[in-house]
Amino acid sequence: MNLETARIDSHAAPEHEDSFIKGVKDCLPTLLGYLSIGFAAGVVEKTAGLTIPEIAMMSIILYAGSAQFIAAGMIAAGSTASSIVITILFVNLRHLLLSAALSPYFRHLTPLRNLLIGSLLTDETFGVAITESAKKNKISEKWMHGLNITAYLNWILANLAGAFLGQWISNPEKLGLDFALPAMFIGLLVLTILSRSKYAMDIIVGLIAMLIAIVVSLVWSASMGVIAATIAASTIGMVVEKSK
Amino acid sequence: MRMDIFLIIIGAALVTFIPRVLPLMLLSRVNLPEWGMRWLNYVPIAVMAALVAQALFIQDEHFSLSSNNLELIAALPTFWVAVKTRSLLGTVVVGMISLMVLRFFL
């Protein structure tokens, strides 16, 4: 192996690394989604009786749409602290899989730098990052921070805006605000499949995941539905691809 | 700030933070086998498909495939726009407007 291939084989310092600003720009298409979901979450949190400082703290250190919706709902329903935390743990276990899926692209970084990337990981930034990785086969660290921090700041702003304006909005569903999250997942799913050109396998895995998610959600719980569907459908995809 | 709310937020933040960072920190030290990489390759498709299925087919903890499942109807133009335009923003906007219009008329 000559020096040239050795350098390409190691993951260190690719020549044209995408910049922080490029990450900010690539986050822009998701911003409306963040704004509407964050806004809707803020409205729901306010109507659940949370104060502005509490909502601010939630969006800053929790920073997870699904978890914040669940927390607001369960606090309003008078659930115990431990049951709220355990429910959120289950819902967010899917981050294990997202974080693991990104790990090959950041293998050259120290654990601390990986921690910084992971701490702001969301379904949406993951979707954008994995679409990027399908195009370029690598993800730049600076680009990832640009993407993550833009999404994070927007989330906090949208959440607080929703909290402030929440008192005047009686019915956010009338505006279709609650569909921002599913629509974004539809977009990310389609974009990911289109970008990797192994349509047949991806669509089969996707349909299997949908089926399992529905069945497990109905007989067990929604969060277990996502986890079971992810593990089973990915395993089927792995096995079928190998045998082909 | 109320103490119980404070503790709930801290606890929720911890159980969200750990699954986010742990695999990135640990798997950067260990080399995954080829089948592991192939498995991870399908994870994003599976997670997103599962989340979409829950949002579209489950209403009030019941399976719903009826004509009054407006989310499911709104998903059709949303999918179409995603495939045609490959634009995330366009997809989200069309999705929300579709559902808003459906709810207005139905």
Side-chain angles (χ1 to χ4, degrees), chain A residues 113-175:
Chain A
R113 285 160 79 182
N114 269 301
L115 181 141
L116 292 176
I117 289 171
S119 59
L120 293 183
L121 183 62
T122 67
D123 295 302
E124 291 84 358
T125 56
F126 172 80
V128 175
I130 213 75
T131 310
E132 174 83 2
S133 76
K135 273 186 285 184
K136 303 191 173 163
N137 242 334
K138 66 184 180 203
I139 305 173
S140 135
E141 182 190 12
K142 287 182 213 141
W143 178 88
M144 192 71 203
H145 284 314
L147 172 71
N148 272 342
I149 290 169
T150 309
Y152 182 53
L153 294 179
N154 266 281
W155 176 259
I156 296 169
L157 283 179
N159 221 215
L160 288 176
F164 278 114
L165 298 176
Q167 40 204 325
W168 293 293
I169 296 175
S170 53
N171 191 359
E173 300 197 340
K174 214 171 192 169
L175 302 171

Side-chain angles (χ1 to χ4, degrees), chain A residues 6-55:
Chain A
R7 195 166 54 83
I8 292 166
D9 279 350
S10 78
H11 279 253
E15 303 89 78
H16 294 294
E17 192 159 301
D18 282 330
S19 65
F20 185 89
I21 295 297
K22 174 83 170 27
V24 173
K25 280 186 189 149
D26 286 342
C27 191
L28 295 182
T30 67
L31 288 192
L32 190 79
Y34 273 101
L35 287 174
S36 43
I37 299 161
F39 187 83
V43 174
V44 171
E45 285 152 5
K46 189 81 180 90
T47 45
L50 292 167
T51 65
I52 300 284
E54 286 163 353
I55 294 172

Side-chain angles (χ1 to χ4, degrees), chain A residues 148-231:
Chain A
N148 272 342
I149 290 169
T150 309
Y152 182 53
L153 294 179
N154 266 281
W155 176 259
I156 296 169
L157 283 179
N159 221 215
L160 288 176
F164 278 114
L165 298 176
Q167 40 204 325
W168 293 293
I169 296 175
S170 53
N171 191 359
E173 300 197 340
K174 214 171 192 169
L175 302 171
L177 282 179
D178 55 318
F179 201 61
L181 187 66
M184 181 179 277
F185 285 132
I186 289 173
L188 288 172
L189 180 62
V190 169
L191 261 57
T192 308
I193 292 176
L194 290 178
S195 67
R196 18 197 263 170
S197 54
K198 43 178 184 176
Y199 303 149
M201 276 305 298
D202 280 350
I203 290 170
I204 291 168
V205 168
L207 289 176
I208 292 170
M210 290 180 123
L211 190 68
I212 298 171
I214 291 168
V215 173
V216 176
S217 300
L218 292 175
V219 300
W220 200 349
S221 73
S223 47
M224 283 315 295
V226 174
I227 293 164
T230 304
I231 292 172

